[in-house]
Amino acid sequence: MEMFEAYGFSERVLKEACWINETTFWKPDGRQRENIVRSGRVQDTEDGLSEFPHVVLNQARVHDFFLDVMRKSPARLDPHYARRLLDLRIDPETTTGDNAYPRQVTARLERLDPAHEGQIETIKARYVVGCDGARSTVRKCIGRTLHGDSANHAWGVMDVLAVTDFPDIRFKSLIQSASDGSMLVIPREG
């Protein structure tokens, strides 16, 4: 929210988003294990943690807000899509010494759009921001490894419009069944 405020669209996010104030917990009923019962309800974020509320708004909508800011900027920025990063290289002569930082990064991209499919573009920049996910090409190119734990569990994410009588459908809810696994419900806007 702080970043959205800096870009001038936090009010739009606040109006459209689902505000997450509480989290509920559900577990198997001790008497009838095939049923679940609420076992807890807590405040989602502690008081004073941030001056901004905890909200959820779908990524595509946030992307639209950023595009709007970009297109209205003095430079009239417009992103280039349909490209895949092949590799990047940091100029080694700019990364030595006590005050060293990359002064030039070269990225090679393959065009994926039908009119230019297979064409290679080379971009030289001062910075590259890697937001390319778990199998990050950026991370591999700069020789970094993923640190931390990774779980070997099957899981999935779904956006659904549920028709349900579940009483906590508009709360973030952690639900554990006796024999059919667990799920996390995160409500969305609308």
Side-chain angles (χ1 to χ4, degrees):
M1 287 303 300
E2 185 174 2
M3 184 172 57
F4 300 157
E5 184 173 273
Y7 281 96
F9 60 83
S10 64
E11 289 299 318
R12 292 170 72 185
V13 170
L14 288 174
K15 286 179 184 172
E16 290 186 29
C18 177
W19 290 46
I20 307 294
N21 298 316
E22 294 179 282
T23 299
T24 63
F25 300 88
W26 291 75
K27 66 178 185 180
D29 186 335
R31 291 171 287 180
Q32 293 181 296
R33 304 279 298 158
E34 67 275 8
N35 295 334
I36 56 172
V37 294
R38 186 187 296 136
S39 60
R41 187 174 186 160
V42 298
Q43 183 177 338
D44 190 65
T45 56
E46 62 186 78
D47 290 332
L49 184 64
S50 172
E51 64 187 275
F52 300 103
H54 181 194
V55 299
V56 173
L57 184 63
N58 79 72
Q59 184 175 342
R61 193 67 182 122
V62 173
H63 187 244
D64 288 342
F65 292 153
F66 275 120
L67 290 175
D68 188 46
V69 170
M70 290 169 62
R71 290 178 180 136
K72 290 178 181 173
S73 73
R76 303 283 191 251
L77 298 171
D78 202 21
H80 299 294
Y81 296 105
R83 284 157 173 82
R84 177 171 52 104
L85 178 66
L86 297 173
D87 56 56
L88 64 87
R89 186 178 63 72
I90 299 172
D91 183 351
E93 294 189 18
T94 64
T95 57
T96 58
D98 292 338
N99 297 318
Y101 60 90
R103 291 196 180 99
Q104 182 169 299
V105 179
T106 303
R108 288 186 332 117
L109 305 158
E110 178 186 9
R111 297 281 300 261
L112 304 175
D113 51 314
H116 302 94
E117 192 168 4
Q119 290 181 6
I120 306 298
E121 296 177 334
T122 301
I123 298 172
K124 294 183 184 290
R126 193 164 178 184
Y127 302 97
V128 170
V129 178
C131 303
D132 54 342
R135 292 171 181 80
S136 171
T137 302
V138 171
R139 189 183 312 118
K140 288 175 190 162
C141 288
I142 64 174
R144 298 288 184 187
T145 58
L146 179 63
H147 294 282
D149 295 332
S150 64
N152 189 17
H153 296 284
W155 60 278
V157 176
M158 297 185 299
D159 282 337
V160 299
L161 179 58
V163 177
T164 180
D165 61 356
F166 181 64
D168 291 344
I169 196 66
R170 296 302 296 163
F171 293 103
K172 183 164 67 173
S173 299
L174 289 90
I175 306 166
Q176 180 183 15
S177 74
S179 60
D180 294 318
S182 302
M183 67 184 295
L184 170 63
V185 174
I186 301 176
R188 292 261 309 264
E189 68 282 357

